[in-house]
Amino acid sequence: MGNRFLFIVAAVLAAACSQAPEKMQLTDVQVLGSPDGNMVMTFGLSSDGTPAYSLSLCGKDVVLPSSMGFTFRGNRVNDSYETRKGHIYKDPVDFHSGFSFEGAENGGLDETWEPIWGEESRIRNNYNELLVKLGKDGVKLNIRFRLYDDGLGFRYEFPDQENLTYFVVTDELTQFAMAGDHTACWIPGDYDTQEYSYTVSRLSRIAAGHNPDYNASQQICSENAVQTALQMKTDDGLYINIHEAAVLDYPTMNLDLDPGKLVFKTMLTPDAEGFGARMQTPCKTPWRTVMAVDDARKVLASRLILNLNEPCAIPDAAEWVHPIKYMGVWWEMIADKSKWSYTGDFHSVRLGETDYGQATPHGHHGANNDNVRRYLDFAGDNGFDALLVEGWNEGWEDWFGCQKFDVFDFVTPYPDFDIAALNAYAHSKGMKLVMHHETSSSAINYERHMEEAYTLMDKYGYDAVKSGYVGDILPGGEHHYSQFMINHYHYAVTEAAKHHIMVNAHEAVRPTGLCRTWPNMIGNESARGTEFKTGVLPNHVTILPFTRLQGGPMDYTPGIFEMDMARLNPAYPGKISSTIARQLALYVTMYSPLQMAADLPEHYAEHMDAFQFIKDVAVDWSRSEYLLAEPGDYLVIARQAKAGAKCKANMGMDGHEWFVGGVTDENARDLTVDLSFLESGRTYTATIYEDAADACGLGDDPAFNPGYHIRSVKVTSADKLPMHLAQSGGFAISIK
Amino acid sequence: MGNRFLFIVAAVLAAACSQAPEKMQLTDVQVLGSPDGNMVMTFGLSSDGTPAYSLSLCGKDVVLPSSMGFTFRGNRVNDSYETRKGHIYKDPVDFHSGFSFEGAENGGLDETWEPIWGEESRIRNNYNELLVKLGKDGVKLNIRFRLYDDGLGFRYEFPDQENLTYFVVTDELTQFAMAGDHTACWIPGDYDTQEYSYTVSRLSRIAAGHNPDYNASQQICSENAVQTALQMKTDDGLYINIHEAAVLDYPTMNLDLDPGKLVFKTMLTPDAEGFGARMQTPCKTPWRTVMAVDDARKVLASRLILNLNEPCAIPDAAEWVHPIKYMGVWWEMIADKSKWSYTGDFHSVRLGETDYGQATPHGHHGANNDNVRRYLDFAGDNGFDALLVEGWNEGWEDWFGCQKFDVFDFVTPYPDFDIAALNAYAHSKGMKLVMHHETSSSAINYERHMEEAYTLMDKYGYDAVKSGYVGDILPGGEHHYSQFMINHYHYAVTEAAKHHIMVNAHEAVRPTGLCRTWPNMIGNESARGTEFKTGVLPNHVTILPFTRLQGGPMDYTPGIFEMDMARLNPAYPGKISSTIARQLALYVTMYSPLQMAADLPEHYAEHMDAFQFIKDVAVDWSRSEYLLAEPGDYLVIARQAKAGAKCKANMGMDGHEWFVGGVTDENARDLTVDLSFLESGRTYTATIYEDAADACGLGDDPAFNPGYHIRSVKVTSADKLPMHLAQSGGFAISIK
């Protein structure tokens, strides 16, 4: 491997587009090239022994020399106790300068692996690797770099060693020095939420605190900090994306910008004591990643984050993990047409003491037997796999925002929700119910009830749960993205796996590719989704695939057909900024193995022709083609259905089915869809769902009109389809 | 009830020893008298509407007018969210002044109840009650006072109300204004430990920070704060004891002294955010108690704390909760003669990854099969109920003081501990093993494993667990006595009850009488015990029954026969400050339904004549007589065995067996034991275990000699036995 690497480095240095990296005052310089030779990472130690790295693509600076390291501290334990072990640093310790170089190892990998579900059925994982070994005061620190053709991943590793067992990371000092004032799609750095609209601006105009978006739990961490994944574009056409991979037992980071120098520094989400991470050697940090490509479509095609995660840890996952197309008793509560709660009798609820049997129903409870059966009838008739039912369990009269510990028990249905009968009814229609566990962010309460809750699911035949973490975290002082909660979310997923349960966690931490290892993590929210209704900006879904979706699928909950919220609830004025065709496009552009048809049956019944696309569209894919893309502007993606995937939509498919989706921002556009991805010489029938000629998807525009037009044409791989997209519009094409 | 109370008040005011309460500038004054009329509590509102109370006994001031109330605050949630409910105060709110009087209710109770186990078989619960109803800005606050013949209990109650649902207590402002510079037995106010030696001093000399005692987790909270129970003596002979009862879902308090005014204020143990308690109406605080009696023996006889707790909440407790006399594979590890750990191979352990099967045993593991069988043989032959085995499970190589999350799994035995065979062997001898769950204070890790751990106990036939909370609490920022941990300990006890498991928690919060409600809480440590070896002062056991034991039994682990620690480990010099006769006395003076014979079998084998007392002594009692007592000086207690108690020691007894114990401080004493508690006209055989004539229990005295002398005499109720106690000595008498 070593020899092979030397050859590669030589090849890199000889490659036409390579240039010498930025001149740096570094010693012990190590150079790592990507498999294709276009990307070069340079590592070295500065004059004071601070580790630093830089990155270039075809000679263009991606990351200027950027320092690395930590500040450590011990816990508050009196460390004079005679039996204390290892090094617990009581006072802050510099663990970023003063290092000496103690060696390096080279390696690499070129493998192809098959995900349980995904955007494609085979993923190539091809990188060159450099492991740098450093030492300081007898303490060892390794830094592992993996360089792909489309980006860099690196992480800190603390090997098993006599002089360091336990320590606390108080600050991680990893820098990402940008080479220019790039244009970025950013959301504010926050310890508790990602549910923000994106701002597209120069780096120097980042002003996180000025974002007016409100969330039930939020703590903006710095005026100039933004969250990962951060998608940037340079003036000379590079697309740079900074992210994280495999965040386990460590908080997520924000990127805190020095606006004068254009240097980002990691800013870890603190725990209740203000610490970043409690560590025990041997251990490692998550990967820090810098993707750099010369075409926006390559960002979407990148598998960098997945590849940096460990292989599947569930041996029998393929037997029970499966994609899901589902409906839900949900949107009607989001729109305040019905309620999660059952009664108006209680302003304070204590589970186990409050007697719901004696309560007067307020008559607006969504999860009642009749309504659930109504949804099951519609979803069953239209080929769905499952139905989510929220508000099925006692406690919703008094659950929100008070850091209430015993908020739900996750096992006690409301009097009008017959859990046995409704599951049996779903099964009779070849469907399952999807469980709902809103934790109200009372994490320990959830853990106390988790085994019983999962066992209840087993009993009645649920195999997937949507969990929720609305509001501030309890125990108090912890954050949604602090190490404690990172470990909690992971615990929920691994415990679920023991029960063969799939997890779709909302308001949890943004995913960082862990679904490769734990494919029962079937979905996540962790971004502003459809539930924000009129609060979703037109450019939002043109950005998410570059940012939030890099880490894993999002339960975006598309498929809204009735954009006029007042039709659901007169007290709720305003229209969603979308056309119906755009809603269909999202089933393709917003990849997820878990796709919802979020609207009400009665709204679909009004547009059964358009609804046909939602019925038809596959949920699992063998191949994806990223046809057109510019973050913040537009996206066109084509995907080939995977034959034999274990969901109803895919079951009858043989792999010759393609689905195409396109979305635009607030601007109308004419785009051309090149069908050359189709099998040559074969004729297909394309059903095109497009914006009506007079459509307009801007919710606050007097011309708003979500109308659509459907047509069918015969197509071959030689065809190029011209498509018109309305403002905040889109299109969807089903090709068979 | 109301009429009855009015009569009592009238009687109080007419009683010979009653005087008008201290003149106070209070309005809306309410007066409450004790059933015997000797104690008077006066409540009123000060001119600015601050609630205040005072207490007197036979006209002597016990508590001078002392104000009451709180400071509230909301959590950090943005409270502008439209659906927020109730009052969440974001900024500190004065909830101590500005109240108006809205009424009062009187009541009372005179009942007798039977504990599952205890110092006596029937307990009288007799009090007069006053419920004061206050209001401020539309928010209701009730204060409930219960006045007994020996003391006052009061608590704050927040009824169900429209204007207050959720709130956070940031400070409780309850005062206890002392009428003089009393002499107190105090330990420093601390959020994490009670394992201190007592200082006996005037209140004005309290200097908590100067106590040099070290503990693995400690946080002294104020220079002038002390812990409850605080035992004081006034210059005119009153014994005043301030404590708490029924601490649930609320932190414990420290008593912070204003040394100039001699006024104590409650100082709640804060959570990680610095808050005291998160509350949801309807709710209540724990009881705050002030005992006041004119004889130290009445403090020991008081059942104030138990009576203020709720009745037994376990319907079938009598069927499975039972007293236990036990030995343990424990003292040899405490003395560092053997180890909890199994191997020296690992300086860092990760459960599930570290392979103990391949490890080299270091050969000093205490909990090995042969050694456990050796203890079982001895304990079985000598009539013990059970054997504790610590260090049986993987993880002890790397468990202490690093706030390690996954520290133990509580289910994986070391390779040399055959859990099935050893339990079977114990059962063959009519014994049980006692499980050990050291949590290393990683509370959430324990909760995650709790159900599996208790289930393992069920499987192998354990019915009691000793749990431990050594080191700083994880999640970080919480304390041993913060609301979070109070709830954790209670969760461990209530979950254990579902498995019919008894709990003996060490390093947990001091008990506050909850064993009345949850009698499976069979023991607690929560004070400096025998494990401190040479670090236990001679006066310690003369104080604990007045303080720590007021809240419930302590697993003090008496019965050390080998005082010379160097005989266990040459590296461990020093001698325990005790005689052997004193060790025997502790089985009577330190009441507990769980009594250990803590020393090694080989040490008992050297003194089988003295060991006979440990074999004989009962563990459950029908009656206790407090013959002589002065806190800090001496104690003599006689107890009558309860016939038919479910432990081997009591099983053959008919209730005519009495056991007497006496201990002294660093001074030798001659005390007279009046046997008039014996049944008149009956002749008994008394076996007397007393200090040898040349005995001296002071470990650092050159004359140290723990020697004893045993004699038998015939006695009747007319006898008075003169007893000589050596310095730090004692005596024990078995009467049949």
Side-chain angles (χ1 to χ4, degrees), chain A residues 476-677:
Chain A
E478 294 293 342
H479 292 287
H480 281 75
Y481 308 148
S482 61
Q483 185 183 27
F484 175 86
M485 287 303 295
I486 299 293
N487 290 341
H488 166 83
Y489 304 131
H490 190 58
Y491 179 72
V493 168
T494 54
E495 290 297 300
K498 296 176 184 172
H499 290 265
H500 289 195
I501 286 171
M502 294 174 280
V503 176
N504 167 28
H506 281 225
E507 299 92 18
V509 70
R510 54 191 174 273
T512 53
L514 292 168
C515 58
R516 179 181 177 188
T517 314
W518 298 94
N520 68 318
M521 216 170 84
I522 196 82
N524 269 116
E525 186 185 40
S526 311
R528 201 172 183 85
T530 301
E531 68 175 4
F532 278 83
K533 304 177 290 270
T534 59
V536 178
L537 296 181
N539 70 357
H540 197 58
V541 295
T542 71
I543 297 172
L544 286 174
F546 292 91
T547 54
R548 164 64 183 77
L549 268 57
Q550 288 291 316
M554 177 176 174
D555 185 25
Y556 186 77
T557 65
I560 300 303
F561 277 17
E562 179 51 68
M563 309 302 168
D564 185 355
M565 297 306 294
R567 267 200 72 195
L568 289 95
N569 186 335
Y572 223 135
K575 298 177 178 68
I576 293 172
S577 282
S578 178
T579 63
I580 287 179
R582 176 190 179 89
Q583 290 291 317
L584 303 182
L586 298 175
Y587 291 88
V588 183
T589 62
M590 293 289 291
Y591 166 69
S592 175
L594 179 79
Q595 286 288 14
M596 188 180 205
D599 212 335
L600 314 184
E602 56 267 40
H603 295 160
Y604 290 134
E606 295 173 356
H607 305 282
M608 287 305 286
D609 52 352
F611 187 63
Q612 188 63 42
F613 182 84
I614 297 178
K615 292 172 64 173
D616 290 344
V617 67
V619 198
D620 202 12
W621 312 102
S622 59
R623 206 174 124 204
S624 292
E625 294 288 331
Y626 306 91
L627 305 178
L628 298 166
E630 188 61 39
D633 293 344
Y634 57 86
L635 278 180
V636 179
I637 300 174
R639 304 193 197 267
Q640 182 181 25
K642 184 194 262 182
K646 289 183 176 174
C647 56
K648 288 184 186 174
N650 283 62
M651 270 177 193
M653 296 182 179
D654 62 7
H656 290 294
E657 302 81 3
W658 284 81
F659 296 84
V660 186
V663 291
T664 180
D665 59 3
E666 66 278 11
N667 300 305
R669 285 179 203 279
D670 291 292
L671 301 171
T672 301
V673 179
D674 184 339
L675 299 182
S676 59
F677 55 81

Side-chain angles (χ1 to χ4, degrees), chain A residues 98-99 113 239 289 363 424 449 473 533 603 688 694 702 719:
Chain A
F99 282 99
W113 58 278
Y239 295 83
T289 66
H449 292 282
I473 297 293
K533 304 177 290 270
H603 295 160
I688 300 171
D694 56 352
D719 284 319

Side-chain angles (χ1 to χ4, degrees), chain A residues 77 81 84-85 160 166 214 278 280-282 347-350 397-398 401 403-404 447-448 472, chain B residues 77 81 84-85 160 166 214 278 280-282 347-350 397-398 401 403-404 447-448 472:
Chain A
V77 171
Y81 195 82
R84 185 161 316 282
K85 303 178 56 186
D160 190 23
Y166 291 95
Y214 171 79
R278 294 161 196 273
Q280 176 191 0
T281 59
H347 68 273
S348 176
V349 170
R350 289 184 186 270
E397 290 73 18
D398 173 32
Q403 295 196 296
K404 176 182 180 178
E447 292 196 10
R448 287 184 178 179
D472 285 340
Chain B
V77 173
Y81 195 81
R84 186 162 313 283
K85 304 178 56 186
D160 189 23
Y166 292 94
Y214 171 78
R278 293 160 197 274
Q280 176 191 0
T281 58
H347 68 275
S348 177
V349 170
R350 287 184 186 272
E397 290 72 18
D398 173 32
Q403 294 195 297
K404 176 181 181 178
E447 292 195 10
R448 286 183 179 180
D472 285 340

Side-chain angles (χ1 to χ4, degrees), chain A residues 208-450:
Chain A
H210 295 171
N211 188 306
D213 290 340
Y214 171 79
N215 199 274
S217 176
Q218 68 189 144
Q219 185 159 338
I220 289 175
C221 52
S222 158
E223 179 60 25
N224 299 108
V226 299
Q227 297 193 42
T228 64
L230 174 67
Q231 180 62 50
M232 292 171 281
K233 184 179 182 181
T234 72
D235 287 346
D236 56 358
L238 289 191
Y239 295 83
I240 301 175
N241 185 298
I242 304 179
H243 200 8
E244 305 161 86
V247 178
L248 284 174
D249 201 17
Y250 201 87
T252 51
M253 64 174 177
N254 289 282
L255 297 167
D256 195 28
L257 183 72
D258 179 330
K261 298 179 178 172
L262 300 176
V263 175
F264 288 108
K265 187 193 90 57
T266 50
M267 191 171 195
L268 301 180
T269 305
D271 69 12
E273 293 187 289
F275 298 148
R278 294 161 196 273
M279 309 288 279
Q280 176 191 0
T281 59
C283 57
K284 51 191 183 293
T285 68
W287 295 96
R288 280 71 185 87
T289 66
V290 183
M291 191 194 304
V293 290
D294 58 7
D295 186 322
R297 297 174 299 181
K298 293 182 182 174
V299 177
L300 304 180
S302 174
R303 303 294 175 249
L304 179 65
I305 303 299
L306 286 178
N307 277 330
L308 287 169
N309 276 270
E310 297 298 313
C312 182
I314 308 175
D316 62 351
E319 293 169 24
W320 58 271
V321 173
H322 58 83
I324 299 170
K325 195 189 291 180
Y326 76 111
M327 293 185 69
V329 181
W330 174 74
W331 185 247
E332 57 181 77
M333 284 92 90
I334 292 290
D336 209 15
K337 179 182 168 72
S338 68
K339 295 183 184 299
W340 283 274
S341 64
Y342 170 75
T343 175
D345 286 359
F346 311 129
H347 68 273
S348 176
V349 170
R350 289 184 186 270
L351 292 183
E353 297 174 21
T354 301
D355 184 358
Y356 280 93
Q358 300 301 314
T360 309
H362 55 40
H364 303 289
H365 181 220
N368 69 74
N369 291 322
D370 288 346
N371 200 36
V372 173
R373 284 176 196 268
R374 185 173 73 90
Y375 274 83
L376 282 170
D377 288 341
F378 183 86
D381 290 347
N382 288 288
F384 285 82
D385 299 293
L387 178 72
L388 167 72
V389 186
E390 295 200 1
W392 67 277
N393 56 325
E394 291 184 359
W396 287 91
E397 290 73 18
D398 173 32
W399 73 280
F400 175 74
C402 296
Q403 295 196 296
K404 176 182 180 178
F405 189 95
D406 294 310
V407 58
F408 292 111
D409 69 7
F410 311 98
V411 296
T412 307
Y414 276 129
D416 61 349
F417 184 86
D418 186 333
I419 188 168
L422 291 172
N423 276 280
Y425 191 68
H427 299 165
S428 76
K429 294 185 167 287
M431 296 176 61
K432 285 183 182 288
L433 293 185
V434 175
M435 175 50 76
H436 184 233
H437 291 165
E438 173 55 50
T439 68
S440 193
S441 289
S442 181
I444 296 172
N445 178 60
Y446 187 35
E447 292 196 10
R448 287 184 178 179
H449 292 282
M450 194 177 280

Side-chain angles (χ1 to χ4, degrees), chain B residues 373-444:
Chain B
R373 284 175 196 269
R374 184 173 74 89
Y375 275 82
L376 282 171
D377 288 341
F378 184 86
D381 290 348
N382 289 287
F384 285 82
D385 298 294
L387 178 73
L388 167 72
V389 186
E390 295 200 2
W392 67 277
N393 56 326
E394 290 184 359
W396 288 91
E397 290 72 18
D398 173 32
W399 73 280
F400 174 75
C402 297
Q403 294 195 297
K404 176 181 181 178
F405 189 96
D406 295 310
V407 58
F408 292 111
D409 69 7
F410 311 98
V411 295
T412 307
Y414 276 128
D416 61 349
F417 183 86
D418 187 334
I419 187 169
L422 290 172
N423 277 280
Y425 191 68
H427 299 166
S428 76
K429 293 184 169 285
M431 296 176 62
K432 286 182 182 290
L433 293 186
V434 174
M435 175 51 75
H436 184 233
H437 291 166
E438 173 56 50
T439 68
S440 192
S441 290
S442 181
I444 296 172

Side-chain angles (χ1 to χ4, degrees), chain B residues 158-211:
Chain B
F158 302 90
D160 189 23
Q161 52 190 298
E162 283 299 322
N163 291 331
L164 187 70
T165 304
Y166 292 94
F167 60 101
V168 173
V169 173
T170 51
D171 199 4
E172 182 184 323
L173 304 174
T174 307
Q175 291 183 344
F176 304 86
M178 296 294 98
D181 193 7
H182 309 323
T183 299
C185 302
W186 59 269
I187 58 175
D190 194 301
Y191 297 146
D192 285 295
T193 185
Q194 291 216 300
E195 298 183 9
Y196 287 103
S197 295
Y198 283 90
T199 302
V200 181
S201 80
R202 293 281 180 180
L203 294 178
S204 56
R205 302 297 292 272
I206 287 172
H210 295 171
N211 188 304

